[in-house]
Each structure stands twice: as structure tokens, then as C-alpha cells.
Amino acid sequence: MLFKTLINHPADWMQGSGPHSEIVMTSRVRLARNLRGFPFPGYSQEHQRLELVQLARPCVDALPEMKDGYSEDYAKLSKTRKQVMVERHLVSREHAARANGCAVAVDRKQNLSIMINEEDHFRIQGIRPGLNLRSAWQLVDKVDTELEGALPYAYDEKLGYLTACPTNLGTGMRASVMLHLPALALTDQINPVIKAVGKIGLAVRGLYGEGTEALGNLFQISNQHTLGEKEGEIISQIEKVIERVINSETNARQKLVEDNPNMLQDQVGRAYAILRHAHILASKEALNLLSLLRLGADLDLISNCDRSLLDMLLLEIQPAHLQLRAGKDLSPEERDLRRAEITRTRLHSLAGPSNVSNNQPPPEAPTSDLPDE
Amino acid sequence: MKCDVCESEATVFLTQIINGQMTTVNLCDACSQAKGVTDEMGFGLAEAFLNQPTPTNDVTEGVCEACGFTAAQLKKIGRMGCPECYSAFRDGLDGLLKAMHKGTRHVGKTPSKITQSRHVQGNINHLREELANAVRDERYEDAARLKNEIDRMLNPTPDAV
């Protein structure tokens, strides 16, 4: 499959909906695997990494799941293309920063991606819409078993799958859930929730993983421990925690509707107005406003708004996606113009927000004085 | 008894328990003073005499023979050089893992190759027990049959049906 074909098609997880889709964007499970007889990528020489890619790629490409998929050597991939895959969560930022001696394979529906020579020789990732860690785990488990039949994995009876970093030892599994928590953020309850989740040994991160900001009220929650527990136990623990966070967010949304309808309507209305009419949109601003618009759609303040439209837009306005579309590198200023343009186009037919509840007194005149188009 | 350091007659006999293991050192007067044995607070048996680093929770010495990665590099970057490093730096690893994980032993997925070989090993152990019983009970025909079976499991011929 060509890169263009891959990227022109939305991933399965962007379109489909899964359990708790109104709050849980995606569920991902990744496995770290390594081969015996090769140093880990971070301590290897280029010829060793190339040798490994040569050995591993045919096995990866031959997986039944990779039929009609996309597979490429990093030497042949531009920076923008790699960055587009980061924005789609198909590869990690760390992997995209590497060049020679790395490769990636993605299945046709973008449910599965395999990075070769990331921090570990293999990072096998499954991604599903909504809260669906088990389905993501089943996918990577199957692929892992298939690969294991073809390649000599580094495995130790006591330590499990051997990984470059001891923090991934054992199962080598990281299960993470991407959550959209605007109501907890609006009501200043997000920090206690993050703290509580951190206390029970789970990690909370921003949109693009470790060390990234929680833009657009998007948070990733994942396990930190990988040794001493079974994969199913780790997933159950995360599921339990996520269900509690979902409850907190649902209650916060309900409370906003009941106790603070004006503020809610104001926030959603402003977001709608700016996104519909702005001509210069910075990335951070756009993500935060889209978050509020999504909240409005979830609470039926914005009617007939397909959530996948917003999720697709969220990706389309990312820097590398904009540059790929333009066919050239863009300055931040140029990107802000194009981001605003795409946003206006995509949201053109979207009707404005309605009242929160018919029982509430009609809101005051819109605070935004932007002209109508 | 001779002094472990200079081979003079030993007069001081020291026993220390380090990580559950008893270590004894015999010293002459001169050496015990020179090594500061009388200073109980600052005395480490293993370090002072046996040229063995005291096992600690921190990996600080050694090199992986498979890839040349050193303990100092491990300490600096917190990652291993190759899968073999886990054997090279096994001492002290448990302490590190305890701080990072729920346990120090893997209980999750096992590659099916390992599961199969474990299964075979389990069968062999069982057959060996039966063989021992057969010999004890002087059932030599059974013993011969069991021995053949064990041999076959240990050396499977590829063309065996």
C-alpha cells in the first residue's frame, strides 16, 4: 500500500465508536519484544540495526494481519511523513526521530502498527476506539505469537521478555487509554483525579505520550508496572480505574448542565464561533476549542454533530498533516492560516449551539461579537 | 592457622554475615591492625580482603561479555546494552526491579516454544521418577521401556512418526 493511500483513509479507530466513546477516544496496547543475539537499538551500531531490519521485515510483512498493509524503511521516509504517523499514533516520537536502520509496518485499517528498532527491536501496537483494551490486547497477542514462531525472542524464565529498559521487563506490555476530560478540567477537578490515578501506580500523560502537555483536555492513562502481574490483571486494573474516571467525568458534565448552564453554553458557544470564523488558528488554541465543541456535541448542545468529524479534524490540523496536504514545509504562521481554513470548511454546515435545557431562562445575547458569515 | 593476608600465624578470627552468607577471615596481629579490623564501625570483610565487591542494591561494576556494555553505562542511562546484560548484571537487579514493579518474577505470557519445552521437561521428570521406582521394585522390563522413552524425548529424531 502507498503512504498516500494509507493516510487518505481514516483509521478504523477514528471512525468507529466503542464502549464509552463519548469520553474514551482510544485504547492502545503495545508490546516490547527483542531478539536474542542482537544488542538493543540504543546500544547497537548501524550495521547491526540494518541486519536486524533485514531479518525482521520479511517476517513482519508476511504476517496475515499485514496483508495489503503499508511497510517502509525509514531511510526512504521524509521527516513530514514520519511526523504524520506520530500524529496518527502509529509510531512514537522517539521512533520518528530515528533514521537509518529502522522500519515500520501498518495494517490496512491502521489498527496495528509494528515499529522495528525503536527503543526495543519490536514495538507491536494495537489501537481500538473507545474503552476496548481487551480487543487491542487480543490483536497484539496474536501477532506476537505469530512473530515468535518466526524469530528468536529474548526471553528469560524469571524476568520474562527482556527489554532495553528494565521498566518494561516481564510482559513488555503498556496498555493505555486516551480520555477526553473537559468537564473535570472546567470544574477544576482534574488535578485530584490525576493525583489519585498516579497514587495507584498508573501513569498520566498528555496527548503524545511521555513529557507532552495535556492539550485539548486529552489525557492518557497507562500502566507503569510490567513485571509480576499477568497481562489480563494489568488490563483489569486499568479498566477499573478508567471506569471510575469516566464516572467522575460524567458526573462533572451532569453538574455543569444542572448548576452552571450559562458558563457551559458560553464556553461551547465561544468555541463554536471562533472555530467557525477564525482566520488564524494556533495549534494549542484549536485543540482546546475543539475539545469544548466535542463536549457541546456530547451534551447535545450542538445537534447533529458527528463525533468522528471532530476527531478527524483534530488530526487534519496537526502540523505534519497540514504540511503533507500542502505538499511542502510550512512556517508556523502559514500553518495557522491553513488550520483556520480547514476548520472553517469542515465545520461549515454545523449548526450553532442550542440551549442547555428548556427549563433554563434564555441566555443573554451571545458574548461573542464576531460577525455572521 | 595462617593469616589470609601475609601467611603469618593468625591471632584474630573474624566472622561476618553478608546477605545471609557467612564469611570468615583469619588475620595476624599486624594485619588486623593495618586493615583497621579493630575499628568495628568501618570494617567490611569482603571489601577489605576477599577482593569481592559487597553485593548491594546498586549495580556499579562489571561488563557484559556479549556486548561490552558496562555497569557504569547502565547506571548512567538506566538501560541495558543487550538481552545478555540481564545475566551479566543480575546481582543487584532484584532491588532495582522491586522498586519499579509489582514483583520480580514474570507471571505473564510465555512463548509457546518455552511452554512446550517445559511440558517435555515435566514429562521427562515424571518418567525419571517412574524409572527410579521401577528399578527399586526390580521391574527391569518396565525400567528398560521407561529408559527408552526418556532417551527418545531427550533426542527426538526428526523422521520419527
mmCIF file of all heavy atoms in Angstrom, chain A residues 38 40 119 141 144-145 148 155-158 160 163-164 166-167 170 225-231, chain B residues 67 69 78-83 86 90 94 100-103 105-113 118:
data_model
loop_
_atom_site.group_PDB
_atom_site.id
_atom_site.type_symbol
_atom_site.label_atom_id
_atom_site.label_comp_id
_atom_site.label_asym_id
_atom_site.label_seq_id
_atom_site.Cartn_x
_atom_site.Cartn_y
_atom_site.Cartn_z
ATOM 1 N N PHE A 38 21.259 -9.866 19.357
ATOM 2 C CA PHE A 38 21.429 -8.509 18.835
ATOM 3 C C PHE A 38 21.439 -7.526 20.003
ATOM 4 O O PHE A 38 20.607 -7.661 20.903
ATOM 5 C CB PHE A 38 20.263 -8.115 17.922
ATOM 6 C CG PHE A 38 20.281 -8.783 16.578
ATOM 7 C CD1 PHE A 38 19.658 -10.009 16.387
ATOM 8 C CD2 PHE A 38 20.925 -8.186 15.502
ATOM 9 C CE1 PHE A 38 19.668 -10.631 15.149
ATOM 10 C CE2 PHE A 38 20.930 -8.792 14.255
ATOM 11 C CZ PHE A 38 20.306 -10.026 14.079
ATOM 12 N N PHE A 40 20.510 -4.113 21.925
ATOM 13 C CA PHE A 40 19.311 -3.273 21.827
ATOM 14 C C PHE A 40 19.621 -2.073 20.916
ATOM 15 O O PHE A 40 20.773 -1.631 20.859
ATOM 16 C CB PHE A 40 18.888 -2.779 23.212
ATOM 17 C CG PHE A 40 18.432 -3.895 24.122
ATOM 18 C CD1 PHE A 40 18.989 -4.044 25.388
ATOM 19 C CD2 PHE A 40 17.454 -4.796 23.730
ATOM 20 C CE1 PHE A 40 18.579 -5.064 26.241
ATOM 21 C CE2 PHE A 40 17.031 -5.812 24.565
ATOM 22 C CZ PHE A 40 17.595 -5.958 25.819
ATOM 23 N N GLU A 119 13.034 1.775 20.821
ATOM 24 C CA GLU A 119 13.920 1.523 21.961
ATOM 25 C C GLU A 119 14.199 0.019 22.052
ATOM 26 O O GLU A 119 15.262 -0.419 22.476
ATOM 27 C CB GLU A 119 13.266 2.026 23.242
ATOM 28 C CG GLU A 119 14.125 1.838 24.468
ATOM 29 C CD GLU A 119 13.409 2.292 25.734
ATOM 30 O OE1 GLU A 119 13.278 3.521 25.895
ATOM 31 O OE2 GLU A 119 12.992 1.441 26.525
ATOM 32 N N ASP A 141 -1.508 -9.791 20.906
ATOM 33 C CA ASP A 141 -1.134 -11.112 21.415
ATOM 34 C C ASP A 141 -1.010 -12.100 20.257
ATOM 35 O O ASP A 141 -0.042 -12.869 20.159
ATOM 36 C CB ASP A 141 -2.191 -11.578 22.427
ATOM 37 C CG ASP A 141 -1.877 -12.944 23.020
ATOM 38 O OD1 ASP A 141 -0.689 -13.283 23.127
ATOM 39 O OD2 ASP A 141 -2.827 -13.678 23.359
ATOM 40 N N ASP A 144 1.969 -11.224 18.085
ATOM 41 C CA ASP A 144 3.182 -11.553 18.840
ATOM 42 C C ASP A 144 3.476 -13.054 18.754
ATOM 43 O O ASP A 144 4.614 -13.462 18.526
ATOM 44 C CB ASP A 144 2.975 -11.119 20.297
ATOM 45 C CG ASP A 144 4.121 -11.514 21.196
ATOM 46 O OD1 ASP A 144 5.273 -11.204 20.847
ATOM 47 O OD2 ASP A 144 3.868 -12.125 22.249
ATOM 48 N N THR A 145 2.448 -13.861 18.912
ATOM 49 C CA THR A 145 2.625 -15.318 18.844
ATOM 50 C C THR A 145 3.079 -15.733 17.451
ATOM 51 O O THR A 145 3.937 -16.600 17.300
ATOM 52 C CB THR A 145 1.300 -16.020 19.218
ATOM 53 O OG1 THR A 145 0.903 -15.552 20.505
ATOM 54 C CG2 THR A 145 1.456 -17.520 19.262
ATOM 55 N N GLU A 148 6.740 -14.694 17.070
ATOM 56 C CA GLU A 148 7.581 -15.526 17.929
ATOM 57 C C GLU A 148 7.912 -16.861 17.255
ATOM 58 O O GLU A 148 8.993 -17.414 17.459
ATOM 59 C CB GLU A 148 6.833 -15.739 19.247
ATOM 60 C CG GLU A 148 7.384 -16.792 20.163
ATOM 61 C CD GLU A 148 6.251 -17.565 20.816
ATOM 62 O OE1 GLU A 148 5.343 -16.925 21.358
ATOM 63 O OE2 GLU A 148 6.276 -18.796 20.744
ATOM 64 N N TYR A 155 13.969 -14.103 25.821
ATOM 65 C CA TYR A 155 13.016 -14.381 26.906
ATOM 66 C C TYR A 155 13.754 -15.091 28.025
ATOM 67 O O TYR A 155 14.627 -15.928 27.788
ATOM 68 C CB TYR A 155 11.879 -15.260 26.374
ATOM 69 C CG TYR A 155 10.858 -15.627 27.415
ATOM 70 C CD1 TYR A 155 9.796 -14.781 27.708
ATOM 71 C CD2 TYR A 155 10.968 -16.826 28.125
ATOM 72 C CE1 TYR A 155 8.868 -15.124 28.680
ATOM 73 C CE2 TYR A 155 10.041 -17.174 29.097
ATOM 74 C CZ TYR A 155 8.985 -16.310 29.371
ATOM 75 O OH TYR A 155 8.076 -16.642 30.330
ATOM 76 N N ASP A 156 13.415 -14.736 29.240
ATOM 77 C CA ASP A 156 14.047 -15.343 30.408
ATOM 78 C C ASP A 156 12.936 -15.893 31.302
ATOM 79 O O ASP A 156 11.930 -15.218 31.520
ATOM 80 C CB ASP A 156 14.851 -14.248 31.145
ATOM 81 C CG ASP A 156 15.507 -14.763 32.398
ATOM 82 O OD1 ASP A 156 14.865 -14.738 33.481
ATOM 83 O OD2 ASP A 156 16.667 -15.201 32.309
ATOM 84 N N GLU A 157 13.145 -17.102 31.822
ATOM 85 C CA GLU A 157 12.101 -17.755 32.629
ATOM 86 C C GLU A 157 11.683 -16.889 33.813
ATOM 87 O O GLU A 157 10.522 -16.843 34.191
ATOM 88 C CB GLU A 157 12.597 -19.111 33.133
ATOM 89 C CG GLU A 157 12.658 -20.164 32.052
ATOM 90 C CD GLU A 157 11.395 -21.017 32.003
ATOM 91 O OE1 GLU A 157 10.375 -20.636 32.590
ATOM 92 O OE2 GLU A 157 11.452 -22.071 31.332
ATOM 93 N N LYS A 158 12.654 -16.214 34.416
ATOM 94 C CA LYS A 158 12.313 -15.419 35.601
ATOM 95 C C LYS A 158 11.874 -14.007 35.239
ATOM 96 O O LYS A 158 10.902 -13.489 35.796
ATOM 97 C CB LYS A 158 13.521 -15.345 36.535
ATOM 98 C CG LYS A 158 13.256 -14.504 37.770
ATOM 99 C CD LYS A 158 14.357 -14.581 38.805
ATOM 100 C CE LYS A 158 13.990 -13.760 40.026
ATOM 101 N NZ LYS A 158 14.558 -12.429 40.035
ATOM 102 N N GLY A 160 10.979 -12.805 32.173
ATOM 103 C CA GLY A 160 10.023 -12.649 31.076
ATOM 104 C C GLY A 160 10.694 -12.109 29.825
ATOM 105 O O GLY A 160 11.861 -12.393 29.558
ATOM 106 N N THR A 163 13.840 -6.542 27.824
ATOM 107 C CA THR A 163 13.673 -5.261 27.126
ATOM 108 C C THR A 163 14.842 -4.334 27.430
ATOM 109 O O THR A 163 15.526 -4.508 28.442
ATOM 110 C CB THR A 163 12.380 -4.567 27.598
ATOM 111 O OG1 THR A 163 12.411 -4.511 29.038
ATOM 112 C CG2 THR A 163 11.148 -5.325 27.160
ATOM 113 N N ALA A 164 15.057 -3.350 26.560
ATOM 114 C CA ALA A 164 16.178 -2.425 26.737
ATOM 115 C C ALA A 164 16.095 -1.736 28.101
ATOM 116 O O ALA A 164 17.090 -1.597 28.792
ATOM 117 C CB ALA A 164 16.184 -1.394 25.615
ATOM 118 N N PRO A 166 14.685 -1.728 31.946
ATOM 119 C CA PRO A 166 14.100 -2.645 32.935
ATOM 120 C C PRO A 166 12.662 -2.290 33.325
ATOM 121 O O PRO A 166 11.949 -3.138 33.851
ATOM 122 C CB PRO A 166 15.030 -2.499 34.139
ATOM 123 C CG PRO A 166 16.300 -1.934 33.603
ATOM 124 C CD PRO A 166 15.923 -1.099 32.423
ATOM 125 N N THR A 167 12.228 -1.070 33.033
ATOM 126 C CA THR A 167 10.850 -0.693 33.377
ATOM 127 C C THR A 167 9.830 -1.420 32.491
ATOM 128 O O THR A 167 8.640 -1.377 32.773
ATOM 129 C CB THR A 167 10.606 0.820 33.223
ATOM 130 O OG1 THR A 167 11.020 1.192 31.912
ATOM 131 C CG2 THR A 167 11.354 1.626 34.240
ATOM 132 N N GLY A 170 9.353 -8.267 31.734
ATOM 133 C CA GLY A 170 8.223 -9.125 32.084
ATOM 134 C C GLY A 170 7.290 -9.263 30.910
ATOM 135 O O GLY A 170 7.612 -9.894 29.914
ATOM 136 N N HIS A 225 3.787 -0.670 35.845
ATOM 137 C CA HIS A 225 4.409 -1.950 36.189
ATOM 138 C C HIS A 225 4.179 -2.955 35.068
ATOM 139 O O HIS A 225 3.075 -3.034 34.531
ATOM 140 C CB HIS A 225 3.791 -2.520 37.472
ATOM 141 C CG HIS A 225 3.857 -1.568 38.617
ATOM 142 N ND1 HIS A 225 2.836 -1.396 39.508
ATOM 143 C CD2 HIS A 225 4.831 -0.723 38.993
ATOM 144 C CE1 HIS A 225 3.174 -0.481 40.401
ATOM 145 N NE2 HIS A 225 4.387 -0.052 40.109
ATOM 146 N N THR A 226 5.219 -3.707 34.743
ATOM 147 C CA THR A 226 5.061 -4.714 33.692
ATOM 148 C C THR A 226 5.491 -6.101 34.173
ATOM 149 O O THR A 226 5.258 -7.087 33.500
ATOM 150 C CB THR A 226 5.913 -4.350 32.459
ATOM 151 O OG1 THR A 226 7.272 -4.155 32.880
ATOM 152 C CG2 THR A 226 5.426 -3.090 31.782
ATOM 153 N N LEU A 227 6.118 -6.144 35.347
ATOM 154 C CA LEU A 227 6.652 -7.412 35.858
ATOM 155 C C LEU A 227 5.910 -7.811 37.131
ATOM 156 O O LEU A 227 5.644 -6.961 37.983
ATOM 157 C CB LEU A 227 8.152 -7.232 36.148
ATOM 158 C CG LEU A 227 8.952 -8.448 36.616
ATOM 159 C CD1 LEU A 227 8.988 -9.525 35.547
ATOM 160 C CD2 LEU A 227 10.381 -8.041 36.989
ATOM 161 N N GLY A 228 5.589 -9.114 37.231
ATOM 162 C CA GLY A 228 4.951 -9.601 38.453
ATOM 163 C C GLY A 228 3.434 -9.661 38.369
ATOM 164 O O GLY A 228 2.777 -10.017 39.334
ATOM 165 N N GLU A 229 2.899 -9.295 37.219
ATOM 166 C CA GLU A 229 1.444 -9.375 37.024
ATOM 167 C C GLU A 229 1.170 -9.931 35.631
ATOM 168 O O GLU A 229 1.948 -9.698 34.710
ATOM 169 C CB GLU A 229 0.814 -7.977 37.068
ATOM 170 C CG GLU A 229 0.668 -7.374 38.425
ATOM 171 C CD GLU A 229 0.226 -5.917 38.309
ATOM 172 O OE1 GLU A 229 1.031 -5.088 37.849
ATOM 173 O OE2 GLU A 229 -0.916 -5.624 38.671
ATOM 174 N N LYS A 230 0.025 -10.609 35.497
ATOM 175 C CA LYS A 230 -0.361 -11.110 34.178
ATOM 176 C C LYS A 230 -0.954 -9.969 33.353
ATOM 177 O O LYS A 230 -1.506 -9.018 33.917
ATOM 178 C CB LYS A 230 -1.399 -12.220 34.325
ATOM 179 C CG LYS A 230 -0.807 -13.484 34.912
ATOM 180 C CD LYS A 230 -1.840 -14.590 34.961
ATOM 181 C CE LYS A 230 -1.177 -15.828 35.520
ATOM 182 N NZ LYS A 230 -2.103 -16.756 36.109
ATOM 183 N N GLU A 231 -0.886 -10.141 32.036
ATOM 184 C CA GLU A 231 -1.409 -9.102 31.137
ATOM 185 C C GLU A 231 -2.884 -8.797 31.466
ATOM 186 O O GLU A 231 -3.282 -7.633 31.539
ATOM 187 C CB GLU A 231 -1.302 -9.547 29.666
ATOM 188 C CG GLU A 231 0.118 -9.587 29.121
ATOM 189 C CD GLU A 231 0.851 -10.876 29.449
ATOM 190 O OE1 GLU A 231 0.298 -11.711 30.208
ATOM 191 O OE2 GLU A 231 1.982 -11.056 28.968
ATOM 192 N N CYS B 67 28.179 -7.979 24.800
ATOM 193 C CA CYS B 67 28.124 -6.741 24.006
ATOM 194 C C CYS B 67 29.089 -5.660 24.487
ATOM 195 O O CYS B 67 29.210 -4.617 23.840
ATOM 196 C CB CYS B 67 26.696 -6.180 23.987
ATOM 197 S SG CYS B 67 26.174 -5.469 25.552
ATOM 198 N N PHE B 69 28.868 -3.819 27.123
ATOM 199 C CA PHE B 69 28.196 -2.769 27.899
ATOM 200 C C PHE B 69 28.684 -2.826 29.341
ATOM 201 O O PHE B 69 28.848 -3.915 29.898
ATOM 202 C CB PHE B 69 26.692 -3.027 27.844
ATOM 203 C CG PHE B 69 25.826 -1.866 28.211
ATOM 204 C CD1 PHE B 69 25.731 -0.759 27.397
ATOM 205 C CD2 PHE B 69 25.068 -1.896 29.384
ATOM 206 C CE1 PHE B 69 24.906 0.300 27.714
ATOM 207 C CE2 PHE B 69 24.239 -0.839 29.721
ATOM 208 C CZ PHE B 69 24.160 0.263 28.880
ATOM 209 N N GLY B 78 20.405 3.914 32.497
ATOM 210 C CA GLY B 78 19.264 3.163 33.022
ATOM 211 C C GLY B 78 18.697 2.134 32.058
ATOM 212 O O GLY B 78 17.592 1.647 32.243
ATOM 213 N N ARG B 79 19.453 1.835 30.993
ATOM 214 C CA ARG B 79 19.004 0.815 30.045
ATOM 215 C C ARG B 79 20.115 -0.188 29.827
ATOM 216 O O ARG B 79 21.283 0.114 30.047
ATOM 217 C CB ARG B 79 18.625 1.464 28.718
ATOM 218 C CG ARG B 79 17.315 2.195 28.788
ATOM 219 C CD ARG B 79 17.085 3.043 27.550
ATOM 220 N NE ARG B 79 15.765 3.654 27.568
ATOM 221 C CZ ARG B 79 15.437 4.700 28.313
ATOM 222 N NH1 ARG B 79 16.336 5.254 29.115
ATOM 223 N NH2 ARG B 79 14.215 5.202 28.263
ATOM 224 N N MET B 80 19.733 -1.383 29.361
ATOM 225 C CA MET B 80 20.713 -2.432 29.126
ATOM 226 C C MET B 80 21.262 -2.324 27.702
ATOM 227 O O MET B 80 20.648 -1.708 26.830
ATOM 228 C CB MET B 80 20.060 -3.799 29.315
ATOM 229 C CG MET B 80 19.552 -4.055 30.726
ATOM 230 S SD MET B 80 20.917 -4.356 31.860
ATOM 231 C CE MET B 80 20.007 -4.772 33.361
ATOM 232 N N GLY B 81 22.414 -2.978 27.476
ATOM 233 C CA GLY B 81 23.016 -2.958 26.143
ATOM 234 C C GLY B 81 22.457 -4.044 25.226
ATOM 235 O O GLY B 81 22.253 -3.827 24.040
ATOM 236 N N CYS B 82 22.219 -5.221 25.802
ATOM 237 C CA CYS B 82 21.689 -6.325 25.001
ATOM 238 C C CYS B 82 20.953 -7.276 25.949
ATOM 239 O O CYS B 82 21.062 -7.147 27.166
ATOM 240 C CB CYS B 82 22.814 -7.051 24.273
ATOM 241 S SG CYS B 82 23.774 -8.162 25.319
ATOM 242 N N PRO B 83 20.220 -8.244 25.421
ATOM 243 C CA PRO B 83 19.477 -9.152 26.318
ATOM 244 C C PRO B 83 20.384 -9.874 27.325
ATOM 245 O O PRO B 83 19.970 -10.147 28.455
ATOM 246 C CB PRO B 83 18.825 -10.135 25.343
ATOM 247 C CG PRO B 83 18.641 -9.369 24.079
ATOM 248 C CD PRO B 83 19.848 -8.472 23.997
ATOM 249 N N TYR B 86 21.231 -8.772 31.123
ATOM 250 C CA TYR B 86 20.438 -9.125 32.309
ATOM 251 C C TYR B 86 21.101 -10.236 33.117
ATOM 252 O O TYR B 86 20.928 -10.317 34.325
ATOM 253 C CB TYR B 86 19.007 -9.513 31.912
ATOM 254 C CG TYR B 86 18.160 -8.294 31.633
ATOM 255 C CD1 TYR B 86 17.907 -7.870 30.340
ATOM 256 C CD2 TYR B 86 17.632 -7.535 32.683
ATOM 257 C CE1 TYR B 86 17.150 -6.740 30.080
ATOM 258 C CE2 TYR B 86 16.872 -6.412 32.446
ATOM 259 C CZ TYR B 86 16.631 -6.011 31.139
ATOM 260 O OH TYR B 86 15.880 -4.882 30.901
ATOM 261 N N ARG B 90 22.988 -9.326 36.813
ATOM 262 C CA ARG B 90 21.893 -9.905 37.597
ATOM 263 C C ARG B 90 21.991 -9.523 39.074
ATOM 264 O O ARG B 90 20.980 -9.275 39.728
ATOM 265 C CB ARG B 90 21.897 -11.425 37.444
ATOM 266 C CG ARG B 90 20.730 -12.104 38.119
ATOM 267 C CD ARG B 90 20.292 -13.345 37.380
ATOM 268 N NE ARG B 90 19.503 -12.996 36.211
ATOM 269 C CZ ARG B 90 18.744 -13.856 35.529
ATOM 270 N NH1 ARG B 90 18.683 -15.106 35.869
ATOM 271 N NH2 ARG B 90 18.048 -13.465 34.488
ATOM 272 N N ASP B 94 17.478 -7.351 41.426
ATOM 273 C CA ASP B 94 16.222 -7.553 42.153
ATOM 274 C C ASP B 94 15.789 -6.310 42.925
ATOM 275 O O ASP B 94 14.608 -5.957 42.921
ATOM 276 C CB ASP B 94 16.343 -8.738 43.120
ATOM 277 C CG ASP B 94 15.836 -10.024 42.474
ATOM 278 O OD1 ASP B 94 15.691 -10.035 41.226
ATOM 279 O OD2 ASP B 94 15.614 -11.000 43.203
ATOM 280 N N MET B 100 10.589 -0.870 40.967
ATOM 281 C CA MET B 100 9.915 -0.496 39.715
ATOM 282 C C MET B 100 8.598 -1.222 39.491
ATOM 283 O O MET B 100 7.707 -0.711 38.835
ATOM 284 C CB MET B 100 10.802 -0.939 38.537
ATOM 285 C CG MET B 100 11.761 0.062 38.053
ATOM 286 S SD MET B 100 12.754 -0.751 36.778
ATOM 287 C CE MET B 100 14.145 0.335 36.814
ATOM 288 N N HIS B 101 8.535 -2.474 39.955
ATOM 289 C CA HIS B 101 7.428 -3.337 39.549
ATOM 290 C C HIS B 101 6.668 -3.926 40.738
ATOM 291 O O HIS B 101 7.099 -3.812 41.875
ATOM 292 C CB HIS B 101 7.964 -4.476 38.684
ATOM 293 C CG HIS B 101 8.544 -4.019 37.378
ATOM 294 N ND1 HIS B 101 7.778 -3.542 36.344
ATOM 295 C CD2 HIS B 101 9.833 -3.966 36.929
ATOM 296 C CE1 HIS B 101 8.553 -3.229 35.326
ATOM 297 N NE2 HIS B 101 9.809 -3.469 35.651
ATOM 298 N N LYS B 102 5.591 -4.637 40.400
ATOM 299 C CA LYS B 102 4.790 -5.303 41.428
ATOM 300 C C LYS B 102 5.519 -6.514 41.986
ATOM 301 O O LYS B 102 5.302 -6.921 43.110
ATOM 302 C CB LYS B 102 3.460 -5.763 40.813
ATOM 303 C CG LYS B 102 2.442 -4.657 40.666
ATOM 304 C CD LYS B 102 1.569 -4.511 41.911
ATOM 305 C CE LYS B 102 0.787 -3.222 41.932
ATOM 306 N NZ LYS B 102 -0.366 -3.239 41.023
ATOM 307 N N GLY B 103 6.342 -7.149 41.183
ATOM 308 C CA GLY B 103 7.083 -8.331 41.619
ATOM 309 C C GLY B 103 8.395 -8.415 40.884
ATOM 310 O O GLY B 103 8.706 -7.542 40.063
ATOM 311 N N ARG B 105 9.307 -11.514 39.532
ATOM 312 C CA ARG B 105 9.217 -12.711 38.694
ATOM 313 C C ARG B 105 8.092 -12.557 37.682
ATOM 314 O O ARG B 105 6.992 -12.137 38.036
ATOM 315 C CB ARG B 105 8.975 -13.933 39.600
ATOM 316 C CG ARG B 105 8.790 -15.241 38.857
ATOM 317 C CD ARG B 105 8.844 -16.415 39.801
ATOM 318 N NE ARG B 105 10.222 -16.749 40.145
ATOM 319 C CZ ARG B 105 11.038 -17.476 39.358
ATOM 320 N NH1 ARG B 105 10.617 -17.914 38.205
ATOM 321 N NH2 ARG B 105 12.258 -17.756 39.756
ATOM 322 N N HIS B 106 8.405 -12.923 36.437
ATOM 323 C CA HIS B 106 7.417 -12.821 35.362
ATOM 324 C C HIS B 106 6.335 -13.887 35.521
ATOM 325 O O HIS B 106 6.643 -15.053 35.728
ATOM 326 C CB HIS B 106 8.136 -13.000 34.020
ATOM 327 C CG HIS B 106 7.217 -13.010 32.839
ATOM 328 N ND1 HIS B 106 6.365 -11.968 32.554
ATOM 329 C CD2 HIS B 106 7.011 -13.934 31.865
ATOM 330 C CE1 HIS B 106 5.682 -12.255 31.456
ATOM 331 N NE2 HIS B 106 6.053 -13.435 31.022
ATOM 332 N N VAL B 107 5.076 -13.450 35.429
ATOM 333 C CA VAL B 107 3.979 -14.411 35.552
ATOM 334 C C VAL B 107 3.044 -14.346 34.340
ATOM 335 O O VAL B 107 2.037 -15.024 34.285
ATOM 336 C CB VAL B 107 3.151 -14.181 36.846
ATOM 337 C CG1 VAL B 107 3.972 -14.515 38.072
ATOM 338 C CG2 VAL B 107 2.628 -12.752 36.922
ATOM 339 N N GLY B 108 3.413 -13.523 33.376
ATOM 340 C CA GLY B 108 2.524 -13.328 32.224
ATOM 341 C C GLY B 108 2.774 -14.309 31.097
ATOM 342 O O GLY B 108 3.238 -15.432 31.316
ATOM 343 N N LYS B 109 2.493 -13.849 29.902
ATOM 344 C CA LYS B 109 2.597 -14.687 28.705
ATOM 345 C C LYS B 109 3.976 -15.353 28.584
ATOM 346 O O LYS B 109 4.992 -14.740 28.905
ATOM 347 C CB LYS B 109 2.344 -13.813 27.468
ATOM 348 C CG LYS B 109 2.372 -14.575 26.160
ATOM 349 C CD LYS B 109 2.041 -13.673 24.972
ATOM 350 C CE LYS B 109 2.155 -14.487 23.675
ATOM 351 N NZ LYS B 109 1.793 -13.706 22.493
ATOM 352 N N THR B 110 3.965 -16.593 28.123
ATOM 353 C CA THR B 110 5.204 -17.321 27.884
ATOM 354 C C THR B 110 5.239 -17.748 26.431
ATOM 355 O O THR B 110 4.221 -18.229 25.926
ATOM 356 C CB THR B 110 5.232 -18.586 28.769
ATOM 357 O OG1 THR B 110 4.983 -18.195 30.110
ATOM 358 C CG2 THR B 110 6.558 -19.296 28.692
ATOM 359 N N PRO B 111 6.362 -17.578 25.747
ATOM 360 C CA PRO B 111 6.400 -18.026 24.349
ATOM 361 C C PRO B 111 6.036 -19.509 24.262
ATOM 362 O O PRO B 111 6.442 -20.294 25.131
ATOM 363 C CB PRO B 111 7.859 -17.811 23.941
ATOM 364 C CG PRO B 111 8.376 -16.786 24.878
ATOM 365 C CD PRO B 111 7.640 -16.987 26.162
ATOM 366 N N SER B 112 5.292 -19.889 23.237
ATOM 367 C CA SER B 112 4.799 -21.271 23.187
ATOM 368 C C SER B 112 5.945 -22.275 23.097
ATOM 369 O O SER B 112 5.837 -23.388 23.578
ATOM 370 C CB SER B 112 3.812 -21.458 22.043
ATOM 371 O OG SER B 112 4.381 -20.986 20.864
ATOM 372 N N LYS B 113 7.080 -21.855 22.504
ATOM 373 C CA LYS B 113 8.238 -22.761 22.453
ATOM 374 C C LYS B 113 8.678 -23.146 23.862
ATOM 375 O O LYS B 113 9.004 -24.283 24.151
ATOM 376 C CB LYS B 113 9.418 -22.081 21.764
ATOM 377 C CG LYS B 113 9.310 -22.007 20.266
ATOM 378 C CD LYS B 113 10.489 -21.224 19.709
ATOM 379 C CE LYS B 113 10.173 -20.710 18.318
ATOM 380 N NZ LYS B 113 11.084 -19.647 17.898
ATOM 381 N N ARG B 118 8.878 -26.790 28.463
ATOM 382 C CA ARG B 118 8.572 -27.019 29.877
ATOM 383 C C ARG B 118 7.746 -28.285 30.042
ATOM 384 O O ARG B 118 7.950 -29.082 30.941
ATOM 385 C CB ARG B 118 7.738 -25.849 30.408
ATOM 386 C CG ARG B 118 8.531 -24.904 31.270
ATOM 387 C CD ARG B 118 7.540 -24.010 31.983
ATOM 388 N NE ARG B 118 8.043 -22.666 32.042
ATOM 389 C CZ ARG B 118 7.265 -21.598 32.146
ATOM 390 N NH1 ARG B 118 5.954 -21.730 32.163
ATOM 391 N NH2 ARG B 118 7.780 -20.413 32.238
#
